[in-house]
Amino acid sequence: MCGIVGYIGHREAYPILIKGLHRLEYRGYDSAGCALLGKELTIYKAKGKVSDLEAVYEKSPQPAGEEPTVGIAHTRWATHGAPSERNAHPHLSESGSLTLVHNGIIENYASLREQLQKRGFTFKSDTDTEVLVQLIEYQKQLHQSDLAEAVRSALKLAIGAYAIAVIDKSEPEKLVCARKSSPLAIGIGEDDSEFFIASDASPIAEYTKKIVYLNDEEVAVVVRGKELYVTNLMGDETEADVKEVNVDLSMLDHDGYPHFMLKEIFDQPNVLKDCMRGRIVGDDHNLKVVLSAVTQNRRQLLRARRIVIVSCGTSWHAGLIGKQLIEHFCRIPVEVAYASEFRYSDPVIEPDDVVIAISQSGETADTLAAIQQAKQQGALIYGIVNGVGSSIARESHAGTYIHVGPEIGVASTKAFTGQVVVLTMLSLALGMAKGTVEQEEYEETIKELLLIPEKIEEVLKQNDKIERLSKQFTYARNFLYLGRGYNYPVALEGALKLKEISYIHAEGYPAAEMKHGPIALIDNEMPVVFLTNHHRRYQKVISNLQEVISRHGNILAIINKGDEQVKKMVDSYIEVPETLSCLTPLISVIPLQLLSYHIAVSRGLNVDQPRNLAKSVTVE
Ligand code: G6P
């Protein structure tokens, strides 16, 4: 993971770098650091958050009037080497001339390190990254080359994933960056005289819309006030593909909410409308779903005899809902695989298979590798991604962006509902094209989907009640989430949300399967969140509810509005508006998001930056 930022131009670099790091802090917050190149090369580092780095800088800031206009910075999610100041980036080369920040993992770092040590290089950190900066310096000395050439030579020897930015005291007008498997964006300042480097567009967006996303094994050299020059590792010039990228800057701020997570939960009604805009067309009597990717790839999609969904984390839960939607509306068998398992499972992929990759960031290393493999085996890759221009989006043959805006809180909320909305639209569009969905059900589902944003608003109005309810769970040690059918993946997602941000152990289970094990855990100290708002399997769920009541579990039920029967049976409940079975996840997940948020807040935890996690997992 990790986030990197760089700047070269005419403005003071430090504030740009710090602001950029804050925007990228969702990628990791084990340590932060920056290097500023003025008359001297100065490095500041701190264990912990970007705010800790700011405190370090404030103690010995750059002299007024001499603030450097070149710099690189990093916020770390530790892989090799514990979180500490000495392992914080930027790392320095032996001579102290070169310094580098890196996102990724250099897999052959141990052998490279050994070779460099034999040549007299000494290492000060436990990271794989330090090897890169030393290797670049060694290549520079060996071939008497400039920085860019040395970077290319070094990267030819490195195995693994990298997005790097390097500066060199002896070439102060230059910043060199490169990527392979980790994302890197370069913003070209309005007058082409300054350049911004970052792991995603969010630190760049307020300065320029002109962005180049580097491709794998490309090296970019930016020269202050002059040019951007991109080559492959062999040194052949490649064309920089300049894109116009629009990021809604208001989405990058708390907007008056205490945390990004709460803001993003409350964003859902609006962003889901954005997600459907232009894709659900027609008037009340003639509504249709039009997804350009389905239209353009109609023949191949209709030919699919099997669909495999690959994803991780919350996106995997959305995939489980997608399976039910696609199987119901399109009658195509669907498998849902953890991307990390899929890629090493020697998967059987036929050319007629369609592989759907679901990813908020579009950068998850395992999901990316899984689709690269499936692509090689001939499958059509369909991306359901939030990160516009991200690696997974670019690697896919076709796809539908979820368009819910940047998600900053590490616990995914609006991306999940956006993914489910896209999966619903995809199933409907494909089902209609295949003739496997009745016109009546098609129209009814679309109409109901359009009502989802206001139904979510209704649930959000109960925020205060959910906050009050949550207080009884502040000191809970375990939690069970139960649901059936479409609500089973929601149970998994509710449990994951709680684990991620409140560090309470929680399990999601299919309500009926509970009696094959987890029922043994139930006593009056075990909170059980029961999703009963599912009318197709209502009676079955009520029987499962009875099983928990008989064992004195402390039940919080998510119920359909006005369900007097369940109200009388349970300890507490949250009422949600009724909807179609297939759309229940979009409603029932909302109280679970709010519940985990309030429990984490009442435990005094950092909701947006939970320990050990990162938003974008760009390592295996
Ligand atoms: C990390 C995040 C999760 C996310 C998962 C998959 O674990 O913390 O919120 O669901 O990665 O990420 P993706 O960007 O591929 O959806």
Side-chain angles (χ1 to χ4, degrees):
M1 266 81 76
C2 308
I4 67 175
V5 192
Y7 175 76
I8 184 163
H10 48 78
R11 311 183 210 205
E12 184 188 348
Y14 175 73
I16 296 172
L17 298 177
I18 286 294
K19 200 164 180 189
L21 286 186
H22 277 298
R23 293 245 156 99
L24 293 181
E25 216 169 4
Y26 70 86
R27 300 177 69 86
Y29 29 82
D30 288 330
S31 65
C34 75
L36 300 169
L37 182 55
K39 280 190 186 141
E40 297 296 327
L41 175 64
T42 324
I43 294 187
Y44 300 89
K45 288 182 182 190
K47 178 174 184 243
K49 305 219 155 72
V50 177
S51 52
D52 297 308
L53 173 65
E54 286 176 279
V56 169
Y57 179 87
E58 289 314 325
K59 280 191 203 142
S60 48
Q62 294 289 306
E66 289 176 24
E67 292 91 353
T69 51
V70 182
I72 53 176
H74 187 270
T75 179
R76 178 167 188 249
W77 185 81
T79 56
H80 294 60
S84 65
E85 202 183 304
R86 84 193 200 102
N87 287 331
H89 301 215
H91 290 287
L92 262 183
S93 67
E94 191 70 26
S95 71
S97 180
L98 271 67
T99 185
L100 170 147
V101 289
H102 168 221
N103 165 32
I105 288 182
I106 301 305
E107 289 168 14
N108 59 338
Y109 79 99
S111 64
L112 290 172
R113 186 178 165 131
E114 214 180 290
Q115 288 166 38
L116 287 161
Q117 276 167 333
K118 280 187 196 143
R119 293 185 166 89
F121 285 82
T122 55
F123 286 81
K124 288 143 205 96
S125 79
D126 313 312
T127 65
D128 52 330
T129 300
E130 196 181 1
V131 156
L132 267 186
V133 72
Q134 302 281 41
L135 186 62
I136 296 169
E137 178 153 290
Y138 175 62
Q139 292 297 321
K140 202 174 171 202
Q141 290 163 0
L142 187 70
H143 302 293
Q144 297 289 301
S145 58
D146 69 353
L147 178 64
E149 187 51 39
V151 167
R152 285 191 285 265
S153 315
L155 293 179
K156 277 189 237 164
L157 302 171
I159 299 171
Y162 53 79
I164 56 165
V166 203
I167 49 179
D168 184 350
K169 256 181 5 189
S170 65
E171 297 177 52
E173 297 300 302
K174 232 181 242 177
L175 196 158
V176 177
C177 53
R179 78 154 260 177
K180 184 183 178 196
S181 302
S182 296
L184 196 67
I186 305 171
I188 304 173
E190 293 309 337
D191 54 5
D192 290 3
S193 68
E194 55 179 351
F195 298 93
F196 306 83
I197 315 290
S199 297
D200 72 29
S202 62
I204 301 174
E206 64 194 88
Y207 308 105
T208 175
K209 288 186 169 46
K210 283 194 323 191
I211 292 184
V212 173
Y213 289 98
L214 281 193
N215 292 311
D216 271 352
E217 302 199 330
E218 278 184 346
V219 178
V221 183
V222 288
V223 183
R224 194 207 315 261
K226 280 204 185 123
E227 58 185 354
L228 162 70
Y229 184 72
V230 184
T231 69
N232 59 23
L233 290 188
M234 308 313 294
D236 307 320
E237 190 171 354
T238 55
E239 204 179 324
D241 180 13
V242 185
K243 291 209 159 43
E244 186 159 322
V245 176
N246 288 300
V247 174
D248 181 351
L249 288 173
S250 67
M251 294 271 193
L252 302 175
D253 291 318
H254 281 122
D255 212 10
Y257 286 90
H259 296 98
F260 278 113
M261 181 179 177
L262 190 63
K263 172 182 179 279
E264 288 159 3
I265 293 173
F266 274 82
D267 269 351
Q268 288 174 109
N270 280 336
V271 297
L272 294 186
K273 283 184 205 155
D274 293 341
C275 174
M276 290 185 254
R277 188 163 294 126
R279 292 158 168 181
I280 296 183
V281 296
D283 54 32
D284 251 11
H285 308 290
N286 182 27
L287 283 168
K288 346 187 236 191
V289 177
V290 181
L291 295 182
S292 53
V294 173
T295 316
Q296 284 156 16
N297 297 276
R298 190 184 150 97
R299 195 180 309 159
Q300 240 178 310
L301 288 169
L302 289 183
R303 220 171 45 206
R305 278 184 293 158
R306 186 176 71 131
I307 291 179
V308 181
I309 297 179
V310 290
S311 44
C312 304
T314 289
S315 301
W316 185 77
H317 296 155
L320 294 178
I321 296 165
K323 170 186 166 72
Q324 296 185 48
L325 288 164
I326 297 170
E327 291 187 341
H328 173 69
F329 288 113
C330 314
R331 310 305 298 153
I332 304 172
V334 182
E335 284 169 34
V336 188
Y338 285 117
S340 53
E341 288 296 314
F342 175 89
R343 59 184 295 199
Y344 293 115
S345 64
D346 192 12
V348 180
I349 294 289
E350 307 289 343
D352 279 351
D353 288 344
V354 171
V355 172
I356 298 180
I358 307 178
S359 174
Q360 187 287 125
S361 59
E363 300 295 349
T364 302
D366 283 319
T367 310
L368 182 60
I371 59 170
Q372 283 166 339
Q373 191 173 336
K375 202 171 171 183
Q376 270 173 14
Q377 290 176 246
L380 176 86
I381 312 294
Y382 196 107
I384 296 181
V385 171
N386 194 31
V388 175
S390 58
S391 305
I392 294 172
R394 286 183 294 142
E395 195 70 40
S396 301
H397 298 111
T400 304
Y401 281 118
I402 63 173
H403 283 323
V404 296
E407 191 181 64
I408 313 286
V410 166
S412 184
T413 52
K414 62 179 180 174
F416 174 77
T417 44
Q419 290 162 347
V420 175
V421 167
V422 167
L423 286 160
T424 310
M425 294 191 293
L426 174 61
S427 317
L428 287 166
L430 194 53
M432 200 24 115
K434 275 190 76 144
T436 44
V437 54
E438 297 289 336
Q439 184 71 26
E440 199 185 328
E441 189 185 6
Y442 175 78
E443 281 178 18
E444 189 196 9
T445 312
I446 298 177
K447 276 192 196 144
E448 191 56 32
L449 187 58
L450 288 170
L451 293 177
I452 289 294
E454 55 190 83
K455 292 193 175 183
I456 293 180
E457 293 272 14
E458 237 185 276
V459 184
L460 293 173
K461 285 193 187 128
Q462 298 183 72
N463 184 36
D464 290 347
K465 175 183 175 183
I466 297 172
E467 183 177 2
R468 277 195 306 275
L469 272 176
S470 72
K471 300 284 185 235
Q472 60 180 303
F473 302 119
T474 308
Y475 301 105
R477 301 183 55 163
N478 295 291
F479 249 89
L480 200 56
Y481 286 72
L482 301 174
R484 296 185 72 144
Y486 283 106
N487 264 338
Y488 159 52
V490 180
L492 294 177
E493 175 60 8
L496 178 64
K497 286 291 84 91
L498 190 72
K499 276 186 275 206
E500 282 178 316
I501 59 171
S502 61
Y503 318 145
I504 296 175
H505 170 251
E507 259 190 80
Y509 236 77
E513 183 64 19
M514 162 204 63
K515 54 185 166 297
H516 299 289
I519 199 164
L521 302 170
I522 294 175
D523 59 17
N524 57 6
E525 288 191 0
M526 171 67 99
V528 181
V529 178
F530 228 109
L531 297 156
T532 69
N533 60 323
H534 189 310
H535 53 79
R536 252 182 43 208
R537 293 194 177 85
Y538 181 74
Q539 283 311 333
K540 306 259 181 221
V541 174
I542 296 299
S543 308
N544 302 144
L545 190 61
Q546 293 286 10
E547 292 158 11
V548 179
I549 291 170
S550 315
R551 272 109 192 144
H552 312 294
N554 173 7
I555 300 175
L556 166 59
I558 309 301
I559 63 170
N560 272 338
K561 209 158 127 192
D563 185 341
E564 301 304 326
Q565 186 185 350
V566 177
K567 275 189 201 174
K568 286 191 210 121
M569 294 165 72
V570 297
D571 302 278
S572 44
Y573 58 84
I574 300 165
E575 283 180 284
V576 298
E578 199 165 329
T579 186
L580 298 174
S581 289
C582 66
L583 302 180
T584 34
L586 293 166
I587 301 293
S588 36
V589 76
I590 310 294
L592 305 193
Q593 294 170 344
L594 286 170
L595 182 70
S596 52
Y597 171 79
H598 289 299
I599 294 176
V601 170
S602 68
R603 284 163 75 93
L605 298 170
N606 186 339
V607 173
D608 283 334
Q609 296 175 338
R611 72 180 178 209
N612 304 342
L613 295 178
K615 181 112 193 110
S616 186
V617 183
T618 51
V619 294
E620 286 195 37

